[in-house]
Amino acid sequence: MLASEVRALFAVASRPEIVSLAGGMPAVDALPLEAVASTMSDLVTKRGAVALQYGSAQGDPGLRARICDVMAMEGITDAHPDSVIVTVGSQQALDLLTRVFIDPGDVVLTEGPTYVTAINTFAAYQARVVHVAMDGDGLSPDALRETLGRLAAEGARVKLLYTVPTFQNPGGITLTQPRRAEILEACRRAGVLVVEDNPYGLLSFTGEPVRAMRADAPDDVVYLGSFSKTLAPGMRVGWALAPPPVTARLVLAAESAILSHSMLTQLAVERYLATQPWPEQLKEFREMYRERRDVMLDTLAETMPPGTTWTRPDGGFFVWLTVPGGVDTKAMLPRAIAARVAYVPGTGFYADGSGRNAMRLSYCYPPPERIRDGVQRLAKVLRAEIDLRQTFVPRHGSTTDE
Amino acid sequence: MLASEVRALFAVASRPEIVSLAGGMPAVDALPLEAVASTMSDLVTKRGAVALQYGSAQGDPGLRARICDVMAMEGITDAHPDSVIVTVGSQQALDLLTRVFIDPGDVVLTEGPTYVTAINTFAAYQARVVHVAMDGDGLSPDALRETLGRLAAEGARVKLLYTVPTFQNPGGITLTQPRRAEILEACRRAGVLVVEDNPYGLLSFTGEPVRAMRADAPDDVVYLGSFSKTLAPGMRVGWALAPPPVTARLVLAAESAILSHSMLTQLAVERYLATQPWPEQLKEFREMYRERRDVMLDTLAETMPPGTTWTRPDGGFFVWLTVPGGVDTKAMLPRAIAARVAYVPGTGFYADGSGRNAMRLSYCYPPPERIRDGVQRLAKVLRAEIDLRQTFVPRHGSTTDE
């Protein structure tokens, strides 16, 4: 399932009668629109000649300083604004990194499952994506060491480990702190750069921010951040924090790719952070998403057929659901949509065709009562699918006896 | 001279005591900032949940429809919004096109001189840039046919002709209509796609818009447009109009590169076009830039030493100046900056080291009296340089006799 297929699915899923548990859109309608509007208006009136002009390829220095303050909330206290590049969402940072580091055939290690558009970007540069197994504690260090050893024996050039360690998309899983140390150590030994993609880190439901991998390994990690989930994706403001020589290469690549980012949206984010109560807004988002997660987990527990399992995220947007009885989630999707509920089939999150027995469920966008309806509808479709298979399999078995 | 060197030069040239004839920044301070501010504020208040959310990789359909109306002003009357992709400035369109079409070693033909960041982008994808000669009527069809023949004989894969046919950057030259037809025909025969980069087309000083090449060759031209020069570069809203299969590939590439463009800036441009008197604003820009061009041309005529020549643009931002007597414009630049005037040396606009005897002068940004000062300072520096060389060359000749 390509990213473009996922987008096509989202288009169908956006019909109002369908409860979409598919998209990863943040609930921007919870933002104080009047405050955002007056921030924009002030900015253009007072600093329009700067906000409407070209900027630098690295991004506005004032915004980069504020980004360093944001990262300090996750334990990154040594970041310098000169080491930050502002990008068109963190997606562009990922694209530029791939452009700079990957030659055709180079290996990128990722969790399995992983973020769908990252797979797409790696594929665009002809990287070979190799998944490393994960469990409820995140990426497995044993599996990572085994994979690194096997690839070294093959003579493969392993360049990057791409990981979403905190409230992972799509798994909803957080890598434990002891494992983080083990994984950093294994990558350091193998000369593999770690790309820590962390769009959800500040959306923790326990109140405690999760310490970033970058906080303990400034030379070995490129950190990708974003305001898309904590403020608004329509700004398209993300960033990378990297060791200085890497940042310099990313800036050159960005200049060739887009000349410069929008000063208007960069300064809008900078002004919003400077003048509005963003920490309170973040707290509201966390409480809203936690309530939605609770409704999803409660309804899953009440309705799902035996043998179905799912993750229990402590933050972020996603639950990963594994279905029993040989059900194929991609084949089931049209029936789910007919029953007015949508999800993303698990195969979208693997480069190797895995994930047929899984799906990603998002609780970020629909209000709680819609989440409940959606999960109930999904449970009904899944039960029918299991029944059908149980009826069909013995009958098929008996057919051979006739 | 790399694009990054040009940017470093711009940083020095931005010091207030220096008249910068280097940058290509539009005069955004001439925009009605209150009107832009109220457009933004209205947009966020009334449609914030859409403007602050993710969009599609192709761009907002309403904006794409308005873009088709804009292109109709240049004779492109058959464009469909489905064939348009909105990009982060036209620079991103160029980057995506290069990504889609160019394999390492493929040839891109360009005018000599050409737009500096285009050279950079082609180099980033390891294209071989081959310049085709131009004169006061633009790109030479004879030189193009000769170059195509020579490259065909070599077995080179010529993929694209990149051209800025109207008010060219950096030449200030416009390709004549009869030549446009000849060039389209030569490229069609050779199977070379024409990329028509047209950021300045609506900034004509004669009042008559120049008919776009795309208007007469819908299947053979990818047209790149931008609001950076006619509205504000801080929006980063450009576009490509391409034959549908090309557009589809650009959309996939854009999704992998940035996921989606900013809905906020896209809708801001759309609303500005819908609610503000943009044609009158364009007229103001044209009159302002024409006055600045006149001051530059008049002062050049009054002050430049014999043997210096320059182009006389009918629109756009740039004059191309050629210096006499073996003067090297890159070597002269530090002395010009010491005399408080900056320009871009000609070598920046060639991939092959040509242009040492030329420079680009911009009249778009400084007010008229500053342009006059700057050109006067430049003439003084150039005269001193010529004098120095005339003194030095005989003395050097006599040294060998001692």
Side-chain angles (χ1 to χ4, degrees):
Chain A
M1 192 170 212
L2 300 169
S4 55
E5 291 181 282
V6 173
R7 296 251 145 206
L9 160 64
F10 289 173
V12 174
S14 69
R15 295 207 308 259
E17 71 275 19
I18 293 178
V19 173
S20 178
L21 307 173
M25 295 193 300
V28 292
D29 47 358
L31 281 170
L33 294 182
E34 295 289 343
V36 177
S38 77
T39 304
M40 297 295 309
S41 175
D42 267 22
L43 169 63
V44 173
T45 309
K46 293 181 188 157
R47 296 180 64 198
V50 173
L52 298 173
Q53 191 52 273
Y54 286 109
S56 79
Q58 186 163 5
D60 179 66
L63 175 60
R64 285 188 272 121
R66 289 198 188 276
I67 283 171
C68 291
D69 296 342
V70 170
M71 291 188 290
M73 296 162 76
E74 295 168 341
I76 301 172
T77 53
D78 66 334
H80 192 283
D82 288 353
S83 302
V84 173
I85 174 175
V86 183
T87 53
V88 181
S90 59
Q91 182 67 34
Q92 192 201 12
L94 189 60
D95 182 74
L96 297 176
L97 262 178
T98 311
R99 184 191 295 219
V100 162
F101 281 101
I102 297 299
D103 295 311
D106 288 352
V107 173
V108 178
L109 301 175
T110 74
E111 284 129 358
T114 189
Y115 169 53
V116 53
T117 314
I119 296 176
N120 229 31
T121 300
F122 300 138
Y125 292 93
Q126 300 171 57
R128 175 181 161 206
V129 174
V130 176
H131 293 295
V132 180
M134 63 192 294
D135 57 27
D137 288 337
L139 200 68
S140 157
D142 288 338
L144 175 62
R145 283 183 291 255
E146 185 278 318
T147 305
L148 285 168
R150 178 167 52 79
L151 290 166
E154 275 181 29
R157 296 182 310 273
V158 184
K159 293 279 185 74
L160 305 174
L161 167 66
Y162 170 79
T163 175
V164 188
T166 306
F167 317 135
Q168 200 229 12
N169 178 3
I173 281 169
T174 298
L175 186 65
T176 61
Q177 291 296 333
R179 281 197 179 183
R180 290 180 186 222
E182 275 194 82
I183 283 164
L184 286 168
E185 179 58 25
C187 286
R188 193 178 297 121
R189 283 184 190 213
V192 173
L193 186 66
V194 175
V195 181
E196 177 180 28
D197 191 1
N198 194 25
Y200 310 101
L202 294 178
L203 297 175
S204 160
F205 302 150
T206 62
E208 278 305 295
V210 180
R211 186 173 174 82
M213 294 176 84
R214 164 59 180 74
D216 299 307
D219 298 331
D220 307 311
V221 174
V222 176
Y223 175 100
L224 309 185
S226 175
F227 289 107
S228 290
K229 277 73 182 187
T230 56
L231 181 51
M235 299 284 186
R236 305 309 294 125
V237 175
W239 70 88
L241 167 70
V246 174
T247 305
R249 292 178 69 188
L250 294 176
V251 171
L252 285 176
E255 182 166 290
S256 155
I258 62 163
L259 210 54
S260 65
H261 195 344
S262 167
M263 281 298 278
L264 184 63
T265 59
Q266 286 185 77
L267 294 181
V269 171
E270 196 279 331
R271 286 293 84 197
Y272 186 87
L273 297 180
T275 62
Q276 302 296 325
W278 186 57
E280 282 71 54
Q281 180 60 48
L282 263 183
K283 190 158 172 276
E284 263 184 55
F285 275 137
R286 282 195 295 262
E287 283 168 7
M288 187 184 66
Y289 292 131
R290 183 174 54 201
E291 184 195 357
R292 292 176 184 195
R293 179 219 42 191
D294 289 346
V295 168
M296 179 170 277
L297 292 182
D298 290 352
T299 317
L300 285 168
E302 288 158 18
T303 61
M304 280 293 148
T308 314
T309 59
W310 55 89
T311 57
R312 283 158 187 80
D314 292 321
F317 286 4
F318 307 110
V319 166
W320 184 254
L321 185 102
T322 306
V323 299
V327 169
D328 179 328
T329 57
K330 192 173 176 185
M332 188 177 80
L333 183 58
R335 287 183 283 278
I337 287 174
R340 293 171 297 127
V341 60
Y343 57 83
V344 185
T347 46
F349 305 95
Y350 288 91
D352 61 5
S354 304
R356 301 194 84 82
N357 67 335
M359 66 177 70
R360 188 189 75 177
L361 300 179
S362 313
Y363 50 80
C364 46
Y365 193 70
E369 64 280 10
R370 297 267 290 169
I371 294 174
R372 185 178 305 277
D373 285 352
V375 172
Q376 285 171 346
R377 291 172 192 173
L378 180 63
K380 213 167 151 185
V381 172
L382 181 58
R383 284 178 186 275
E385 195 79 7
I386 292 167
D387 285 353
L388 189 72
R389 283 192 63 86
Q390 283 173 344
T391 316
F392 171 75
V393 173
R395 192 175 283 170
H396 186 272
S398 67
T399 310
T400 57
D401 289 340
E402 279 168 7
Chain B
M1 194 168 207
L2 299 169
S4 54
E5 292 181 281
V6 174
R7 297 250 143 207
L9 161 63
F10 290 172
V12 174
S14 69
R15 295 206 309 257
E17 71 275 20
I18 293 178
V19 174
S20 178
L21 306 174
M25 295 193 300
V28 291
D29 47 359
L31 282 170
L33 294 183
E34 295 289 345
V36 177
S38 78
T39 305
M40 297 294 311
S41 173
D42 266 22
L43 169 62
V44 173
T45 309
K46 292 181 188 156
R47 294 180 65 198
V50 173
L52 298 173
Q53 192 51 274
Y54 287 108
S56 80
Q58 187 164 4
D60 178 66
L63 175 60
R64 285 188 273 122
R66 289 198 187 275
I67 284 171
C68 291
D69 296 341
V70 170
M71 292 188 291
M73 297 162 76
E74 297 169 338
I76 302 172
T77 53
D78 65 332
H80 191 283
D82 287 353
S83 301
V84 173
I85 173 175
V86 182
T87 53
V88 181
S90 58
Q91 183 67 35
Q92 194 201 10
L94 188 60
D95 182 75
L96 297 176
L97 262 178
T98 310
R99 185 190 294 220
V100 162
F101 280 100
I102 298 297
D103 294 312
D106 286 354
V107 172
V108 178
L109 301 175
T110 74
E111 284 129 359
T114 189
Y115 169 53
V116 53
T117 314
I119 295 177
N120 228 32
T121 300
F122 300 139
Y125 292 94
Q126 301 173 55
R128 175 181 161 206
V129 174
V130 175
H131 294 296
V132 180
M134 63 191 294
D135 58 25
D137 288 339
L139 200 69
S140 156
D142 288 339
L144 175 63
R145 282 183 291 256
E146 185 277 320
T147 305
L148 284 169
R150 178 167 51 81
L151 290 167
E154 274 181 29
R157 296 183 308 272
V158 184
K159 292 282 184 72
L160 305 174
L161 167 67
Y162 170 78
T163 176
V164 187
T166 307
F167 318 134
Q168 199 229 11
N169 178 2
I173 282 169
T174 297
L175 186 65
T176 61
Q177 290 296 332
R179 282 198 179 183
R180 291 182 186 221
E182 276 194 81
I183 283 165
L184 286 168
E185 179 58 25
C187 285
R188 193 178 296 121
R189 282 183 189 213
V192 172
L193 186 66
V194 175
V195 181
E196 178 181 29
D197 191 2
N198 194 26
Y200 311 101
L202 294 178
L203 297 174
S204 161
F205 303 150
T206 63
E208 277 305 295
V210 179
R211 187 173 173 83
M213 295 175 83
R214 164 60 179 76
D216 300 308
D219 299 331
D220 306 311
V221 175
V222 175
Y223 175 101
L224 309 186
S226 175
F227 289 106
S228 291
K229 277 74 182 185
T230 56
L231 181 51
M235 300 284 187
R236 308 308 294 123
V237 175
W239 71 88
L241 167 69
V246 175
T247 305
R249 292 178 69 187
L250 294 177
V251 170
L252 285 176
E255 182 166 288
S256 154
I258 61 162
L259 210 54
S260 66
H261 196 342
S262 166
M263 280 299 277
L264 183 63
T265 60
Q266 287 185 78
L267 294 181
V269 171
E270 196 278 330
R271 286 292 85 197
Y272 186 86
L273 297 180
T275 62
Q276 302 297 323
W278 186 59
E280 280 73 52
Q281 180 59 46
L282 263 183
K283 190 158 172 277
E284 265 184 54
F285 276 137
R286 282 196 296 261
E287 284 168 6
M288 187 183 65
Y289 293 131
R290 183 175 54 200
E291 184 196 357
R292 293 177 183 197
R293 181 224 32 197
D294 289 346
V295 169
M296 180 169 276
L297 293 182
D298 290 350
T299 317
L300 286 168
E302 289 157 19
T303 61
M304 280 292 150
T308 313
T309 59
W310 54 89
T311 56
R312 283 160 187 80
D314 293 322
F317 286 4
F318 308 110
V319 166
W320 183 253
L321 185 102
T322 306
V323 298
V327 170
D328 179 327
T329 57
K330 192 174 176 184
M332 188 177 79
L333 183 59
R335 288 184 283 281
I337 287 175
R340 294 171 297 130
V341 61
Y343 57 82
V344 185
T347 46
F349 305 96
Y350 287 92
D352 61 4
S354 302
R356 302 193 84 81
N357 67 334
M359 66 177 69
R360 188 190 74 178
L361 299 179
S362 313
Y363 50 79
C364 45
Y365 193 70
E369 63 282 8
R370 297 267 290 169
I371 293 173
R372 187 179 304 277
D373 286 351
V375 172
Q376 285 171 345
R377 291 172 194 174
L378 180 63
K380 216 168 149 184
V381 172
L382 181 56
R383 284 177 185 276
E385 195 80 6
I386 292 168
D387 286 352
L388 188 74
R389 285 192 62 88
Q390 283 173 345
T391 317
F392 171 76
V393 173
R395 191 175 283 169
H396 187 272
S398 66
T399 312
T400 56
D401 291 337
E402 279 167 11

